Amino acid sequence: MVDRDRLFELWGRAASLSWPVSVQHAFTTLMRTVDIVVAGLFAPAYVTAIGLADLYGQIPLRVGLSLGTGAIAMSSQDTGRGAKLTRNRGITQAVLIGFLIGLPMVAAGFLLSDAAIAILGAEREVVRLGSTYLALIFAAAPMRIVGLVGSRSLQGTGDTVTPMIVNGGASVLNALGTVVLALGVGPAPRLGIVGIGLATLLARIAEAGTVTAMIASRWTDLAFARPRSLTITGQLLRISAPNFAEGMSTSLANFPFNSLLLVFGTEVNAAFHIGRRIYQQVAGPVYRAINTVTSILVGQALGEGDAADARYTGFAMGALSVVTMGVMGAGLVLGAGPIAGVFTDDAPTLGYAIEFTRVFGISMVFFGIFFPFAGGLRGAGETRIPFYARAIGSIVFMLGLSTLLSIGLGWGVTGIYVGLVANYACWAVVAVAGFVWSDWAQKASGLMAERAGVAE
């Protein structure tokens, strides 16, 4: 029998934690959506240029998210067991490491951006636009990483409101800056794609500065503390490394995948990025919030020594997620035409964008399975299984199966649609299997025992 009181109490707690995360991600995806919409006002080449540059922009994003995953796992577990000083030392190390990793990316952006876009086989105009945008995105890399790590460190303590305020404010600043600087609103010059990239750079600086000041002040329960233990450093890197590999497996697969899309034309490539932006805007805030909140709740339950409650939390969040994402997916399938029409009026691009949006809508049920179970595993510090899920899905199905069907068997773009759905189904199957049969609770217990030996 289902204990409804327990279930609804858990869902209520999850809702109180998740709505700020959803709002935060809604603003973040809105900012990226504004970039795509504004780019589409110029030409499809602008949309393609931003999409290709964002492939490389995934690198600082993945560094920030991976270190943030380590920070949120350790922060939630140490919050649950009341080890505040150990927690503060851990998040301080995560912020410092992230900033240092981001510095070489600034130089890489200015020196290698032309070659980076050209190697993907894009047209000359796309290379010119994409390289300019990429240089500005990489200039923001250290600040981007610091902002991500700081926000997730706060979320691990159960504070999801402060990151919403900081990140949401930066995203609004970014969106407004894109409109003003790219289109030349009022006295501002019309900078085109330079304006889109410059708005992102300025917003990331504001975000990193604000979240750092918040942690250093008495506003939050966190504080910076001088690092004193290589044990904490080692755990942070061990948790973060598989998560970085997870994200990069998808990102790296996207390079040849985008080249595959370009075989069928710039319009198909632009349509894919429009469809991707639509599902990320509509559903992304929800499944990312579910992922983050499941990590928080599972991590804190493990910190309190209740592995059974942590497992129950994972399954309860999975049930809620499947229903929620299934409804949202149905909305994407039914509303694909009108929604895609907001992003482009180019007829060939629009036709493909509608189909890609429907494909992503069908895939939402698999998102609803993957993200809560992967979030629960990450909250325990078990980041290898989500990596296996996404690596297998991205390489074998998104890239391999799509190539086989679309070119090898002559299915054309339809083969790519099938490969995408199979990719997300693979994510879901591996994540559930890992949550059910792996020893993630014992792993978390071992990590906390190691940190307990560090003097407070």
Side-chain angles (χ1 to χ4, degrees):
M1 293 292 292
V2 176
D3 185 340
R4 293 187 179 181
D5 290 339
R6 181 186 182 188
L7 182 64
F8 291 151
E9 180 182 359
L10 174 63
W11 284 352
R13 186 183 175 198
S16 67
L17 288 170
S18 64
W19 75 261
V21 181
S22 294
V23 171
Q24 174 186 341
H25 285 298
F27 278 117
T28 300
T29 52
L30 176 62
M31 172 268 294
R32 302 303 298 131
T33 300
V34 169
D35 287 353
I36 296 294
V37 171
V38 170
L41 296 176
F42 290 92
Y46 280 68
V47 177
T48 300
I50 289 179
L52 295 179
D54 277 345
L55 295 176
Y56 296 98
Q58 294 289 305
I59 297 174
L61 173 66
R62 296 305 180 187
V63 171
L65 290 176
S66 63
L67 287 170
T69 296
I72 202 172
M74 296 171 66
S75 178
S76 62
Q77 291 171 15
D78 289 341
T79 295
R81 68 188 185 94
K84 291 187 176 182
L85 183 56
T86 302
R87 177 192 67 192
N88 291 343
R89 287 173 176 166
I91 66 101
T92 301
Q93 291 192 36
V95 169
L96 289 173
I97 292 170
F99 180 79
L100 293 174
I101 292 175
L103 290 178
M105 298 182 195
V106 178
F110 284 106
L111 296 175
L112 303 174
S113 58
D114 280 346
I117 302 299
I119 200 173
L120 298 176
E123 299 171 357
R124 181 174 300 177
E125 179 66 4
V126 173
V127 173
R128 182 184 69 82
L129 295 168
S131 62
T132 301
Y133 178 75
L134 179 60
L136 290 166
I137 294 303
F138 265 31
M143 300 297 103
R144 174 62 163 154
I145 296 170
V146 168
L148 287 167
V149 174
S151 292
R152 277 153 182 74
S153 299
L154 289 167
Q155 289 170 346
T157 69
D159 179 5
T160 55
V161 174
T162 300
M164 174 192 70
I165 295 171
V166 174
N167 184 264
S171 296
V172 170
L173 175 64
N174 195 332
L176 292 175
T178 291
V179 173
V180 172
L181 295 175
L183 301 178
V185 176
R190 184 181 173 91
L191 299 177
I193 204 162
V194 173
I196 298 175
L198 184 59
T200 299
L201 173 60
L202 295 175
R204 295 307 176 201
I205 292 172
E207 178 186 19
T210 303
V211 77
T212 301
M214 288 285 194
I215 294 174
S217 71
R218 295 184 178 181
W219 179 277
T220 68
D221 190 44
L222 280 181
F224 291 118
R226 183 177 178 179
R228 294 180 181 274
S229 171
L230 291 178
T231 297
I232 295 175
T233 308
Q235 286 196 11
L236 177 65
L237 296 177
R238 291 205 308 272
I239 296 171
S240 300
N243 186 257
F244 178 75
E246 173 192 341
M248 288 309 299
S249 66
T250 303
S251 297
L252 291 174
N254 271 327
F255 286 95
F257 183 72
N258 271 266
S259 296
L260 173 63
L261 292 169
L262 287 169
V263 168
F264 298 97
T266 298
E267 292 79 9
V268 171
N269 187 279
F272 167 78
H273 289 290
I274 289 171
R276 186 167 176 260
R277 179 54 48 196
I278 288 171
Y279 92 74
Q280 289 179 342
Q281 180 64 61
V282 174
V286 177
Y287 66 69
R288 290 182 183 124
I290 290 171
N291 175 77
T292 299
V293 169
T294 307
S295 292
I296 295 169
L297 295 175
V298 168
Q300 291 187 355
L302 291 170
E304 294 167 358
D306 195 342
D309 186 58
R311 186 173 295 274
Y312 175 86
T313 296
F315 283 108
M317 292 299 295
L320 178 63
S321 178
V322 168
V323 174
T324 303
M325 298 310 302
V327 171
M328 300 192 80
L332 285 175
V333 172
L334 296 174
I339 298 172
V342 174
F343 290 81
T344 182
D345 57 2
D346 180 74
T349 303
L350 178 60
Y352 288 117
I354 291 172
E355 294 306 313
F356 275 114
T357 302
R358 288 173 176 160
V359 166
F360 289 126
I362 292 169
S363 302
M364 282 302 105
V365 66
F366 300 120
F367 281 64
I369 297 170
F370 172 75
F371 281 97
F373 288 107
L377 290 167
R378 293 174 185 133
E382 175 53 89
T383 51
R384 295 171 301 173
I385 293 171
F387 160 57
Y388 300 149
R390 294 184 69 169
I392 295 170
S394 298
I395 295 170
V396 175
F397 295 102
M398 185 183 79
L399 182 58
L401 183 61
S402 293
T403 302
L404 173 64
L405 296 179
S406 64
I407 295 179
L409 298 183
W411 288 19
V413 182
T414 301
I416 296 176
Y417 300 152
V418 174
L420 284 171
V421 175
N423 167 42
Y424 299 126
C426 174
W427 291 13
V429 170
V430 176
V432 171
F435 192 84
V436 172
W437 287 299
S438 74
D439 60 348
W440 51 269
Q442 290 84 352
K443 179 173 183 175
S445 179
L447 292 172
M448 288 184 287
E450 284 183 10
R451 295 200 300 277
V454 177
E456 282 279 314

